[in-house]
Amino acid sequence: MGKKISIIGVGKLGLCLALNLEKKGFEIIGVDKSKEYIELLSSKKFVSSEPYVTEMLKESQNIQFTSEISKALENDIIFVVVATPSTTDWKYDHTQIDNVIDHLMKLGPQENRKELIINCTTFPGYCDSLQEKLKDFNYHISYNPEFIAQGSIIKDQLNCDNVLIGQSDDISGSIIESIYIKLCDTTPIINKMSRTEAEITKLSVNCFLTTKISYANMIGDITLRYGGDPKKVLNAVGTDSRIGNKYLSYGFGFGGPCFPRDNRSLIKCGEEVSVNAIIARSTDEMNEEHLKYQVEYFVKNNPDKDKIVDIEYVTYKKESVSLEESQQLKYALELHNLGYKINVQESREEVINQIKNLIK
Ligand SMILES: NC(=O)c1ccc[n+]([C@@H]2O[C@H](COP(=O)([O-])OP(=O)(O)OC[C@H]3O[C@@H](n4cnc5c(N)ncnc54)[C@H](O)[C@@H]3O)[C@@H](O)[C@H]2O)c1
């Protein structure tokens, strides 16, 4: 297989993948349905809040941006990176992927074998259903989600310690592996498995991390009420090599566009096969309880409501511009509702506008 790759959906994640792959020598066709956005990308006028993206776009030479999905078929390797928002019943809305597939099917069966690599987060079983749908069209569906976080997508993609491949077959697995070997600055461990196993793995990784965060916050909340220092306790807990210190600090609960929803989707995934995923449920509950304890602790120690409360940021993490499921934002709003005067030390216009819209 050559060094040419198409990416359908060049939004927050897809654009970073396109830029990183281009920098590593691949020729990219980036497809997006938004014509205005494609114009901005093609003219290199697009400005991103994601670190490195604006500069890398300006420097890029081998990416062709288009709104014509048929152009994607000029290459035999096609990544799909469209959005899969959460549904109210804790699954994922696959409509954007379905639309892409419908479009591809209208273009008919393919002469060359096409690798269609689903990079989006999907509900277990979905990618198998896609393969069934496309079985007579010469598409091989693989699932290859990414473990990245907003605010560090470019770096995370280059420095991953493992790659998850839900392969269509061994050929697909080898093709995807070879792409990551070229893409990564690290030498990642490659985990190959079936599509459904990989879909479960993606949710399980995030569920484990949220569990660790909620556990750390639970221990910290208990320690504070005993007058102790959560940092000392958790540092000591984490020095046990079976546990480890990563994601084991006391602080805000988990939020953002991935952790909360992937954790809830694992609960749903269990329900579908009559397994009660009570650990994931408790993790979610503890996240909410923790916010209550944080607010109570602040109120107890700050009875003077006239004093201005400085809050450094209200995005779900400092480097991100996303307010989605942000515990920091919920905390600021709770204190505000209790009568405190809040001063958020935010200078990024994109975030300020979001906050203004929220409190309008
Ligand atoms: N952003 C993250 O931090 C993150 C992290 C991990 C996983 N993911 C997963 O990656 C996927 C993509 O997320 P994102 O944040 O990049 O979404 P996004 O909304 O930023 O980008 C999706 C892009 O797809 C385009 N698109 C939609 N339908 C299309 C179509 N039919 N043809 C061509 N383009 C189309 C949209 O115009 C948009 O630019 C999701 O499944 C998400 O769960 C995202």
Side-chain angles (χ1 to χ4, degrees), residues 11-13 32-33 82 84 96 100 120-121 148 150 258 261:
K12 289 184 284 295
L13 187 56
D32 205 284
K33 67 172 182 187
V82 295
T84 50
Q96 291 192 13
V100 169
C120 328
T121 309
I148 52 87
Q150 280 180 33
C258 287
R261 77 192 196 116

Side-chain angles (χ1 to χ4, degrees), residues 80-99:
V80 178
V81 203
V82 295
T84 50
S86 295
T87 58
T88 47
D89 66 349
W90 296 358
K91 289 187 168 184
Y92 302 107
D93 179 351
H94 301 119
T95 309
Q96 291 192 13
I97 307 180
D98 290 339
N99 290 342

Side-chain angles (χ1 to χ4, degrees), residues 136-189:
D136 298 327
F137 287 74
N138 208 7
Y139 283 95
H140 286 256
I141 311 293
S142 295
Y143 179 62
N144 168 233
E146 294 196 36
F147 298 97
I148 52 87
Q150 280 180 33
S152 54
I153 302 181
I154 289 287
K155 279 196 158 180
D156 292 349
Q157 279 177 345
L158 297 175
N159 295 295
C160 57
D161 51 17
N162 61 71
V163 174
L164 179 57
I165 305 175
Q167 62 186 23
S168 178
D169 58 15
D170 288 347
I171 298 173
S172 308
S174 304
I175 290 170
I176 301 170
E177 178 175 356
S178 69
I179 293 171
Y180 277 91
I181 287 170
K182 284 199 191 103
L183 171 68
C184 295
D185 291 337
T186 47
T187 309
I189 294 168

Side-chain angles (χ1 to χ4, degrees), residues 316-328:
Y316 85 96
K317 57 183 256 201
K318 196 174 173 181
E319 306 79 26
S320 168
V321 291
S322 171
L323 296 176
E324 200 173 334
E325 299 244 16
S326 164
Q327 300 302 311
Q328 290 81 341

Side-chain angles (χ1 to χ4, degrees), residues 92 121 202-203 206 258-267:
Y92 302 107
T121 309
K202 153 79 162 112
L203 302 186
N206 281 350
C258 287
F259 278 176
R261 77 192 196 116
D262 286 359
N263 185 60
R264 288 180 201 131
S265 286
L266 192 70
I267 299 173

